[in-house]
């Protein structure tokens, strides 16, 4: 069956004092699906963080990192060849996280979680859901804030230098056990996903009453397979994304809206 595509339903209303108020009308079909859901599984991608100021993975990078393609930096081969370059890029990304905040969409999910079981599965390596007060069930692609040894995998929890300016080279710390280089505990291209996190995610999407797919292009598997798994198990799926994606034809409803505009409106409408 063809998915139902819902218009964003955003209206701009001028109000006194020159303040523009954003009114979002939540489509009735979406409200009907969400009202009856006690357990909601939410898969988020880079678009969930975009309105906090984190560029999406495939967006252009700024400053000195503009010359590098993230797809070539985020590989074990790049780290093995140039650990100081890759470490400097991640150090910069960690610094960026200290300059941004969760947005209204993150906070809306947290509020929803006070009334229903809202299980967040994220492909994002930032900590914006957590900083909005929402426990993350599964960080499918790891976390910027978790570190381990590239050689022996030993977790590393010592403080690390976070430069406040872009630098192109920064030596990673060395593992106290084997003197290997310390790396971010992130899933790089060509690496497998953490099995326990993926199993939690599979269980969540198959047992949920509803799956929301927010801000992901659906281009990277196996994460992109989770909405398909939900659908195969008869669980309705809703995509929240301003533009169509590779998953749009596979989801029950598509709401063309940003996470920061749509989620607060949806959660308020649920009451
Ligand atoms: P992408 O950058 O591929 O896709 C971001 C999606 O977010 C696009 O479909 C945008 O239309 C959408 N989007 C942008 N702004 C939005 C907003 N304000 N609200 C809602 N949606 C918005 O990011 P991902 O799908 O997350 O993996 O990419 C998946 C994985 O690809 C990443 O986790 C990364 C990369 O390979 C690893 O690093 C392992």
């Amino acid at each position: 069956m063809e998915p139902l595509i819902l218009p964003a339903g955003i209206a701009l209303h001028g109000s006194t004092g020159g303040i523009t108020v954003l009114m979002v009308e939540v489509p009735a079909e979406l409200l009907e699906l969400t009202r009856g859901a006690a357990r909601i599984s939410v898969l988020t991608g880079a678009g969930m963080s975009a309105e906090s100021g984190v560029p999406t993975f495939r967006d252009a990078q700024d400053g000195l990192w503009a010359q590098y393609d993230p797809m070539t930096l985020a590989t074990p081969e790049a780290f093995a060849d140039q650990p100081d370059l890759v470490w400097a890029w991640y150090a910069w990304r960690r610094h960026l996280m200290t300059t941004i905040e969760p947005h209204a969409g993150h906070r809306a999910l947290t509020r929803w979680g006070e009334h229903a079981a809202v299980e967040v599965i994220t492909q994002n390596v930032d900590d914006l859901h957590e900083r909005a007060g929402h426990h993350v069930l599964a960080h499918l692609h790891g976390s910027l804030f978790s570190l381990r040894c590239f050689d022996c995998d030993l977790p590393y929890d010592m403080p690390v230098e976070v430069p406040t300016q872009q630098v192109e080279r920064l030596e990673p710390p060395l593992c106290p056990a084997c003197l290997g280089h310390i790396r971010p505990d992130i899933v790089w291209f060509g690496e497998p996903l953490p099995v326990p996190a993926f199993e939690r995610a599979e269980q969540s999407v198959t047992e949920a009453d509803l799956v929301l797919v927010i801000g992901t292009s659906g281009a990277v598997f196996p994460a992109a397979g989770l909405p398909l798994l939900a659908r195969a198990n008869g669980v309705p799926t809703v995509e929240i994304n301003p533009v169509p994606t590779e998953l749009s034809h596979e989801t029950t409803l598509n709401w063309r809206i940003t996470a920061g505009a749509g989620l607060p409106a949806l959660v308020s409408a649920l009451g």
Side-chain angles (χ1 to χ4, degrees), residues 45-47 50-51 56-58 123-124 141 187 189 215-218 220 240-243 245 257-259:
E51 286 156 283
T56 60
F57 200 78
R58 275 155 255 280
Q123 297 167 84
N124 299 338
H141 293 164
V187 178
F189 291 103
T216 178
S217 58
V220 176
I240 296 182
N241 196 312
V243 301
T245 73
I257 194 164
T258 70

PDB file of all heavy atoms in Angstrom, residues 45-47 50-51 56-58 123-124 141 187 189 215-218 220 240-243 245 257-259, ligand 1:
ATOM      1  N   GLY A  45      18.089  10.168  13.383  1.00  0.00           N
ATOM      2  CA  GLY A  45      19.322  10.317  12.614  1.00  0.00           C
ATOM      3  C   GLY A  45      19.796  11.754  12.696  1.00  0.00           C
ATOM      4  O   GLY A  45      19.262  12.559  13.480  1.00  0.00           O
ATOM      5  N   ALA A  46      20.742  12.090  11.840  1.00  0.00           N
ATOM      6  CA  ALA A  46      21.405  13.396  11.921  1.00  0.00           C
ATOM      7  C   ALA A  46      20.426  14.568  11.854  1.00  0.00           C
ATOM      8  O   ALA A  46      20.676  15.616  12.453  1.00  0.00           O
ATOM      9  CB  ALA A  46      22.433  13.506  10.801  1.00  0.00           C
ATOM     10  N   GLY A  47      19.308  14.380  11.150  1.00  0.00           N
ATOM     11  CA  GLY A  47      18.326  15.459  11.049  1.00  0.00           C
ATOM     12  C   GLY A  47      17.716  15.818  12.397  1.00  0.00           C
ATOM     13  O   GLY A  47      17.214  16.933  12.578  1.00  0.00           O
ATOM     14  N   ALA A  50      19.975  18.467  13.689  1.00  0.00           N
ATOM     15  CA  ALA A  50      20.266  19.587  12.775  1.00  0.00           C
ATOM     16  C   ALA A  50      19.831  20.932  13.358  1.00  0.00           C
ATOM     17  O   ALA A  50      20.568  21.920  13.272  1.00  0.00           O
ATOM     18  CB  ALA A  50      19.598  19.348  11.424  1.00  0.00           C
ATOM     19  N   GLU A  51      18.630  20.969  13.981  1.00  0.00           N
ATOM     20  CA  GLU A  51      18.150  22.258  14.486  1.00  0.00           C
ATOM     21  C   GLU A  51      18.858  22.703  15.766  1.00  0.00           C
ATOM     22  O   GLU A  51      18.647  23.820  16.235  1.00  0.00           O
ATOM     23  CB  GLU A  51      16.630  22.206  14.688  1.00  0.00           C
ATOM     24  CG  GLU A  51      15.893  22.255  13.360  1.00  0.00           C
ATOM     25  CD  GLU A  51      14.507  21.637  13.426  1.00  0.00           C
ATOM     26  OE1 GLU A  51      14.402  20.394  13.424  1.00  0.00           O
ATOM     27  OE2 GLU A  51      13.543  22.395  13.507  1.00  0.00           O
ATOM     28  N   THR A  56      24.229  17.910   9.343  1.00  0.00           N
ATOM     29  CA  THR A  56      23.930  16.498   9.072  1.00  0.00           C
ATOM     30  C   THR A  56      25.175  15.868   8.464  1.00  0.00           C
ATOM     31  O   THR A  56      26.057  16.555   7.959  1.00  0.00           O
ATOM     32  CB  THR A  56      22.725  16.324   8.118  1.00  0.00           C
ATOM     33  OG1 THR A  56      23.035  16.961   6.894  1.00  0.00           O
ATOM     34  CG2 THR A  56      21.467  16.895   8.720  1.00  0.00           C
ATOM     35  N   PHE A  57      25.235  14.559   8.544  1.00  0.00           N
ATOM     36  CA  PHE A  57      26.463  13.855   8.183  1.00  0.00           C
ATOM     37  C   PHE A  57      26.905  14.192   6.755  1.00  0.00           C
ATOM     38  O   PHE A  57      28.077  14.337   6.466  1.00  0.00           O
ATOM     39  CB  PHE A  57      26.261  12.348   8.330  1.00  0.00           C
ATOM     40  CG  PHE A  57      27.546  11.608   8.437  1.00  0.00           C
ATOM     41  CD1 PHE A  57      28.236  11.588   9.632  1.00  0.00           C
ATOM     42  CD2 PHE A  57      28.092  10.966   7.345  1.00  0.00           C
ATOM     43  CE1 PHE A  57      29.443  10.927   9.740  1.00  0.00           C
ATOM     44  CE2 PHE A  57      29.286  10.292   7.442  1.00  0.00           C
ATOM     45  CZ  PHE A  57      29.962  10.273   8.640  1.00  0.00           C
ATOM     46  N   ARG A  58      25.912  14.316   5.874  1.00  0.00           N
ATOM     47  CA  ARG A  58      26.251  14.546   4.463  1.00  0.00           C
ATOM     48  C   ARG A  58      26.308  16.028   4.092  1.00  0.00           C
ATOM     49  O   ARG A  58      26.519  16.382   2.940  1.00  0.00           O
ATOM     50  CB  ARG A  58      25.263  13.767   3.569  1.00  0.00           C
ATOM     51  CG  ARG A  58      25.709  12.328   3.363  1.00  0.00           C
ATOM     52  CD  ARG A  58      24.558  11.399   3.046  1.00  0.00           C
ATOM     53  NE  ARG A  58      24.233  10.582   4.214  1.00  0.00           N
ATOM     54  CZ  ARG A  58      24.900   9.494   4.576  1.00  0.00           C
ATOM     55  NH1 ARG A  58      25.910   9.068   3.862  1.00  0.00           N
ATOM     56  NH2 ARG A  58      24.565   8.822   5.658  1.00  0.00           N
ATOM     57  N   GLN A 123      21.137   7.000  15.723  1.00  0.00           N
ATOM     58  CA  GLN A 123      22.361   6.798  14.939  1.00  0.00           C
ATOM     59  C   GLN A 123      23.337   7.926  15.233  1.00  0.00           C
ATOM     60  O   GLN A 123      24.444   7.932  14.722  1.00  0.00           O
ATOM     61  CB  GLN A 123      22.028   6.826  13.444  1.00  0.00           C
ATOM     62  CG  GLN A 123      21.106   5.721  13.005  1.00  0.00           C
ATOM     63  CD  GLN A 123      20.562   5.994  11.605  1.00  0.00           C
ATOM     64  OE1 GLN A 123      21.204   5.692  10.611  1.00  0.00           O
ATOM     65  NE2 GLN A 123      19.379   6.566  11.533  1.00  0.00           N
ATOM     66  N   ASN A 124      22.895   8.889  16.035  1.00  0.00           N
ATOM     67  CA  ASN A 124      23.729  10.060  16.288  1.00  0.00           C
ATOM     68  C   ASN A 124      24.751   9.775  17.385  1.00  0.00           C
ATOM     69  O   ASN A 124      24.455   9.084  18.356  1.00  0.00           O
ATOM     70  CB  ASN A 124      22.862  11.255  16.685  1.00  0.00           C
ATOM     71  CG  ASN A 124      21.898  11.614  15.569  1.00  0.00           C
ATOM     72  OD1 ASN A 124      22.142  11.270  14.412  1.00  0.00           O
ATOM     73  ND2 ASN A 124      20.809  12.263  15.908  1.00  0.00           N
ATOM     74  N   HIS A 141      25.467   3.843  16.571  1.00  0.00           N
ATOM     75  CA  HIS A 141      26.760   4.146  15.962  1.00  0.00           C
ATOM     76  C   HIS A 141      27.783   4.645  16.978  1.00  0.00           C
ATOM     77  O   HIS A 141      28.762   5.286  16.622  1.00  0.00           O
ATOM     78  CB  HIS A 141      26.573   5.165  14.827  1.00  0.00           C
ATOM     79  CG  HIS A 141      25.803   4.603  13.651  1.00  0.00           C
ATOM     80  ND1 HIS A 141      25.244   5.366  12.666  1.00  0.00           N
ATOM     81  CD2 HIS A 141      25.505   3.317  13.331  1.00  0.00           C
ATOM     82  CE1 HIS A 141      24.637   4.587  11.781  1.00  0.00           C
ATOM     83  NE2 HIS A 141      24.768   3.339  12.163  1.00  0.00           N
ATOM     84  N   VAL A 187      31.097   3.760  15.543  1.00  0.00           N
ATOM     85  CA  VAL A 187      31.122   2.771  14.456  1.00  0.00           C
ATOM     86  C   VAL A 187      31.556   3.482  13.178  1.00  0.00           C
ATOM     87  O   VAL A 187      30.872   4.371  12.687  1.00  0.00           O
ATOM     88  CB  VAL A 187      29.720   2.146  14.263  1.00  0.00           C
ATOM     89  CG1 VAL A 187      29.745   1.162  13.104  1.00  0.00           C
ATOM     90  CG2 VAL A 187      29.263   1.470  15.543  1.00  0.00           C
ATOM     91  N   PHE A 189      32.874   3.460   9.067  1.00  0.00           N
ATOM     92  CA  PHE A 189      32.494   2.726   7.855  1.00  0.00           C
ATOM     93  C   PHE A 189      33.303   1.428   7.763  1.00  0.00           C
ATOM     94  O   PHE A 189      34.509   1.437   7.974  1.00  0.00           O
ATOM     95  CB  PHE A 189      32.710   3.585   6.610  1.00  0.00           C
ATOM     96  CG  PHE A 189      31.726   4.720   6.562  1.00  0.00           C
ATOM     97  CD1 PHE A 189      32.111   6.003   6.895  1.00  0.00           C
ATOM     98  CD2 PHE A 189      30.397   4.481   6.246  1.00  0.00           C
ATOM     99  CE1 PHE A 189      31.188   7.045   6.891  1.00  0.00           C
ATOM    100  CE2 PHE A 189      29.470   5.512   6.248  1.00  0.00           C
ATOM    101  CZ  PHE A 189      29.864   6.788   6.568  1.00  0.00           C
ATOM    102  N   GLY A 215      14.457  12.219  10.907  1.00  0.00           N
ATOM    103  CA  GLY A 215      15.712  12.852  10.492  1.00  0.00           C
ATOM    104  C   GLY A 215      16.800  11.901  10.061  1.00  0.00           C
ATOM    105  O   GLY A 215      17.967  12.120  10.348  1.00  0.00           O
ATOM    106  N   THR A 216      16.402  10.847   9.365  1.00  0.00           N
ATOM    107  CA  THR A 216      17.430   9.957   8.811  1.00  0.00           C
ATOM    108  C   THR A 216      17.160   9.756   7.329  1.00  0.00           C
ATOM    109  O   THR A 216      16.005   9.676   6.907  1.00  0.00           O
ATOM    110  CB  THR A 216      17.512   8.612   9.565  1.00  0.00           C
ATOM    111  OG1 THR A 216      18.495   7.790   8.923  1.00  0.00           O
ATOM    112  CG2 THR A 216      16.192   7.866   9.616  1.00  0.00           C
ATOM    113  N   SER A 217      18.252   9.693   6.550  1.00  0.00           N
ATOM    114  CA  SER A 217      18.101   9.514   5.100  1.00  0.00           C
ATOM    115  C   SER A 217      17.783   8.057   4.764  1.00  0.00           C
ATOM    116  O   SER A 217      17.429   7.749   3.634  1.00  0.00           O
ATOM    117  CB  SER A 217      19.376   9.957   4.384  1.00  0.00           C
ATOM    118  OG  SER A 217      20.475   9.210   4.869  1.00  0.00           O
ATOM    119  N   GLY A 218      17.949   7.171   5.732  1.00  0.00           N
ATOM    120  CA  GLY A 218      17.646   5.762   5.490  1.00  0.00           C
ATOM    121  C   GLY A 218      18.625   5.120   4.516  1.00  0.00           C
ATOM    122  O   GLY A 218      18.324   4.100   3.889  1.00  0.00           O
ATOM    123  N   VAL A 220      21.842   4.206   5.330  1.00  0.00           N
ATOM    124  CA  VAL A 220      22.907   3.404   5.945  1.00  0.00           C
ATOM    125  C   VAL A 220      22.304   2.214   6.711  1.00  0.00           C
ATOM    126  O   VAL A 220      21.545   2.387   7.659  1.00  0.00           O
ATOM    127  CB  VAL A 220      23.772   4.286   6.884  1.00  0.00           C
ATOM    128  CG1 VAL A 220      24.813   3.453   7.612  1.00  0.00           C
ATOM    129  CG2 VAL A 220      24.464   5.379   6.070  1.00  0.00           C
ATOM    130  N   ILE A 240       9.232  11.367  10.008  1.00  0.00           N
ATOM    131  CA  ILE A 240       9.192  12.819  10.207  1.00  0.00           C
ATOM    132  C   ILE A 240      10.465  13.384   9.586  1.00  0.00           C
ATOM    133  O   ILE A 240      11.573  13.155  10.086  1.00  0.00           O
ATOM    134  CB  ILE A 240       9.088  13.178  11.713  1.00  0.00           C
ATOM    135  CG1 ILE A 240       7.754  12.640  12.267  1.00  0.00           C
ATOM    136  CG2 ILE A 240       9.212  14.684  11.929  1.00  0.00           C
ATOM    137  CD1 ILE A 240       7.488  12.955  13.719  1.00  0.00           C
ATOM    138  N   ASN A 241      10.296  14.068   8.467  1.00  0.00           N
ATOM    139  CA  ASN A 241      11.446  14.542   7.703  1.00  0.00           C
ATOM    140  C   ASN A 241      10.922  15.569   6.699  1.00  0.00           C
ATOM    141  O   ASN A 241       9.891  15.336   6.092  1.00  0.00           O
ATOM    142  CB  ASN A 241      12.078  13.346   6.944  1.00  0.00           C
ATOM    143  CG  ASN A 241      13.486  13.636   6.449  1.00  0.00           C
ATOM    144  OD1 ASN A 241      13.742  14.665   5.849  1.00  0.00           O
ATOM    145  ND2 ASN A 241      14.391  12.704   6.699  1.00  0.00           N
ATOM    146  N   PRO A 242      11.612  16.709   6.552  1.00  0.00           N
ATOM    147  CA  PRO A 242      11.088  17.699   5.604  1.00  0.00           C
ATOM    148  C   PRO A 242      11.162  17.253   4.148  1.00  0.00           C
ATOM    149  O   PRO A 242      10.469  17.808   3.309  1.00  0.00           O
ATOM    150  CB  PRO A 242      11.970  18.934   5.841  1.00  0.00           C
ATOM    151  CG  PRO A 242      13.150  18.457   6.594  1.00  0.00           C
ATOM    152  CD  PRO A 242      12.779  17.187   7.298  1.00  0.00           C
ATOM    153  N   VAL A 243      12.014  16.269   3.858  1.00  0.00           N
ATOM    154  CA  VAL A 243      12.119  15.836   2.448  1.00  0.00           C
ATOM    155  C   VAL A 243      11.953  14.316   2.356  1.00  0.00           C
ATOM    156  O   VAL A 243      12.202  13.603   3.330  1.00  0.00           O
ATOM    157  CB  VAL A 243      13.485  16.245   1.814  1.00  0.00           C
ATOM    158  CG1 VAL A 243      13.682  17.750   1.852  1.00  0.00           C
ATOM    159  CG2 VAL A 243      14.644  15.540   2.479  1.00  0.00           C
ATOM    160  N   THR A 245      12.737  10.429   1.619  1.00  0.00           N
ATOM    161  CA  THR A 245      13.972   9.660   1.782  1.00  0.00           C
ATOM    162  C   THR A 245      13.788   8.283   1.157  1.00  0.00           C
ATOM    163  O   THR A 245      12.713   7.958   0.663  1.00  0.00           O
ATOM    164  CB  THR A 245      14.304   9.441   3.270  1.00  0.00           C
ATOM    165  OG1 THR A 245      13.377   8.465   3.784  1.00  0.00           O
ATOM    166  CG2 THR A 245      14.212  10.707   4.083  1.00  0.00           C
ATOM    167  N   ILE A 257       7.975  17.573   7.769  1.00  0.00           N
ATOM    168  CA  ILE A 257       8.153  18.666   8.726  1.00  0.00           C
ATOM    169  C   ILE A 257       9.479  18.437   9.450  1.00  0.00           C
ATOM    170  O   ILE A 257       9.997  17.311   9.450  1.00  0.00           O
ATOM    171  CB  ILE A 257       6.959  18.694   9.721  1.00  0.00           C
ATOM    172  CG1 ILE A 257       6.915  20.000  10.504  1.00  0.00           C
ATOM    173  CG2 ILE A 257       6.969  17.483  10.655  1.00  0.00           C
ATOM    174  CD1 ILE A 257       5.581  20.242  11.196  1.00  0.00           C
ATOM    175  N   THR A 258      10.028  19.471  10.053  1.00  0.00           N
ATOM    176  CA  THR A 258      11.268  19.270  10.809  1.00  0.00           C
ATOM    177  C   THR A 258      10.939  18.716  12.197  1.00  0.00           C
ATOM    178  O   THR A 258       9.830  18.891  12.712  1.00  0.00           O
ATOM    179  CB  THR A 258      12.067  20.580  10.977  1.00  0.00           C
ATOM    180  OG1 THR A 258      11.356  21.427  11.868  1.00  0.00           O
ATOM    181  CG2 THR A 258      12.315  21.277   9.649  1.00  0.00           C
ATOM    182  N   ALA A 259      11.940  18.097  12.800  1.00  0.00           N
ATOM    183  CA  ALA A 259      11.767  17.519  14.144  1.00  0.00           C
ATOM    184  C   ALA A 259      11.438  18.616  15.154  1.00  0.00           C
ATOM    185  O   ALA A 259      10.584  18.436  16.026  1.00  0.00           O
ATOM    186  CB  ALA A 259      13.048  16.790  14.550  1.00  0.00           C
TER     187      ALA A 259
HETATM  188  P1  LIG B   1      21.959  11.936   6.833  1.00  0.00           P
HETATM  189  O1  LIG B   1      22.810  13.166   6.855  1.00  0.00           O
HETATM  190  O2  LIG B   1      22.189  10.904   5.796  1.00  0.00           O
HETATM  191  O3  LIG B   1      20.423  12.341   6.678  1.00  0.00           O
HETATM  192  C1  LIG B   1      19.859  13.336   7.456  1.00  0.00           C
HETATM  193  C2  LIG B   1      18.369  13.360   7.176  1.00  0.00           C
HETATM  194  O4  LIG B   1      17.795  14.320   8.060  1.00  0.00           O
HETATM  195  C3  LIG B   1      17.980  13.787   5.746  1.00  0.00           C
HETATM  196  O5  LIG B   1      16.991  12.907   5.247  1.00  0.00           O
HETATM  197  C4  LIG B   1      17.390  15.199   5.946  1.00  0.00           C
HETATM  198  O6  LIG B   1      16.331  15.475   5.023  1.00  0.00           O
HETATM  199  C5  LIG B   1      16.846  15.087   7.342  1.00  0.00           C
HETATM  200  N1  LIG B   1      16.718  16.365   8.050  1.00  0.00           N
HETATM  201  C6  LIG B   1      17.496  17.470   7.917  1.00  0.00           C
HETATM  202  N2  LIG B   1      17.097  18.414   8.768  1.00  0.00           N
HETATM  203  C7  LIG B   1      16.053  17.898   9.468  1.00  0.00           C
HETATM  204  C8  LIG B   1      15.229  18.389  10.513  1.00  0.00           C
HETATM  205  N3  LIG B   1      15.401  19.603  11.002  1.00  0.00           N
HETATM  206  N4  LIG B   1      14.257  17.571  11.008  1.00  0.00           N
HETATM  207  C9  LIG B   1      14.082  16.325  10.506  1.00  0.00           C
HETATM  208  N5  LIG B   1      14.844  15.816   9.514  1.00  0.00           N
HETATM  209  C10 LIG B   1      15.810  16.582   9.008  1.00  0.00           C
HETATM  210  O7  LIG B   1      22.030  11.331   8.300  1.00  0.00           O
HETATM  211  P2  LIG B   1      21.695   9.869   8.844  1.00  0.00           P
HETATM  212  O8  LIG B   1      20.544   9.275   8.113  1.00  0.00           O
HETATM  213  O9  LIG B   1      21.621   9.977  10.310  1.00  0.00           O
HETATM  214  O10 LIG B   1      27.002   6.838  10.367  1.00  0.00           O
HETATM  215  O11 LIG B   1      22.993   9.120   8.460  1.00  0.00           O
HETATM  216  C11 LIG B   1      23.117   7.812   8.943  1.00  0.00           C
HETATM  217  C12 LIG B   1      24.533   7.502   9.197  1.00  0.00           C
HETATM  218  O12 LIG B   1      25.271   7.837   8.022  1.00  0.00           O
HETATM  219  C13 LIG B   1      25.191   8.356  10.259  1.00  0.00           C
HETATM  220  O13 LIG B   1      24.913   7.892  11.554  1.00  0.00           O
HETATM  221  C14 LIG B   1      26.627   8.160   9.905  1.00  0.00           C
HETATM  222  C15 LIG B   1      26.599   8.140   8.386  1.00  0.00           C
HETATM  223  O14 LIG B   1      27.242   7.118   7.813  1.00  0.00           O
HETATM  224  C16 LIG B   1      28.156   6.674  10.996  1.00  0.00           C
HETATM  225  O15 LIG B   1      28.879   7.597  11.300  1.00  0.00           O
HETATM  226  C17 LIG B   1      28.446   5.251  11.286  1.00  0.00           C
END
